Amino acid sequence: MLVLAVLFVFIWSTGFIVGKAIVPYADPTLFLLVRTIIAAILFTGIALYVRVPWPAWRQVPKHLLAGILLQGLYLSGTYWAIAGGLPPAIMALIGALQPLMTAFFAMPILKEVPTRKVWLGLVLGLLGVFLVIQPNLARGGQDSFSIAVLLIALLAVLSITFGTILQKTSISAVDIRVSAALQNIGTVFFTGLFVWILGESRWVWSGQLWASLLWAAFVLSGVGALLLVWIVRRGQAATASSLMFLAPPLAAVEAYFLFGDRLTPIQLFGFVIAVAGVLVCNWRRR
C-alpha cells in the first residue's frame, strides 16, 4: 500500500509539469481529449481481454459521470482558469482545498466522520502546500482575473471532490478496469464537446508534445487515475485524498530540475509540513 501511495503521488504531481510542457504546442482541452481517447482505448482493450463483467446499462451513467467529474471537468476547469488569468500558484492553493472539501462532503454523503487526527493532518497538509506556493503567490499577486475565473477554479475543485466521493458509492462494486474504461469514455464525451464549443485546433507536433501525450495518456490517465480510484476504494475518502497534498510540493521540486524554477527554504519547509500532514492522516496504531 505504501509503495502504491508513493507511486500515485509522484505520478499525480507530474500533471502540473505536463500542463506547463504543452503550452507552446497544443490547446489544453484538445490535448485532454486526445489523452483520454488513448486511455479509454487502453482500458477498454484490457477489460475485454481479461473478460471481466461489465455493469448493467442502468449503472453506466454513474461511471461516465465519475469520469467527467474526476478528470474532465476538473482538468478542463483548471486549465481554463489559468488561461483566464488566474496565477497557477493561486490555482494550486485552491486545489489544495480538495481534501478538506472531501472530508466535509463525505460526512453527509458517505457517513464518514474524520477523526480529530485526520482533521489535524488535513490542516497541516493545507499549510504545507501554502508554504510551498507562497513565493510564487507573492510574485503572481498582481495578475488580474475576474470573479468568473475564480468560480471556474472553485468548480474544478468541487468536481474532483465529488468525483472522488462517487468512487465510494455503488460503482466501487464494478471491476476497477471496467470502471476506468467507462470513466475515460465519459471524459472523452465531455472534452470532445468543449473542444467543439471552444473551437480548439492548435496542435504542433514536437518531441516534447509526443512525450507529454504518451506520459499523460498511459501514466497519468492510465496508472495515476487507476491508483487514485483503488486507494479511495480501500480507505476513507478524506484520508485517501490527503495524499494529494504532496503533489504540488513534489511538482515544485520537479520544476526545479526540469525548468530551473527556484526553490526557497520556506518551500522546502512547506514540503516537510505537507508530508507530516499526510503521515498524520494515514498513521494507524498497531
Side-chain angles (χ1 to χ4, degrees), residues 6 25 60 62 131 158 226-227 271:
V6 171
Y25 306 106
V60 169
K62 282 188 178 181
L131 291 175
L158 282 171
L226 195 69
L227 282 174
F271 197 174

Side-chain angles (χ1 to χ4, degrees), residues 32-53:
L32 291 174
L33 173 61
V34 178
R35 161 184 166 175
T36 50
I37 286 175
I38 296 173
I41 293 172
L42 171 67
F43 279 112
T44 300
I46 291 173
L48 292 175
Y49 178 77
V50 297
R51 298 182 180 180
V52 290

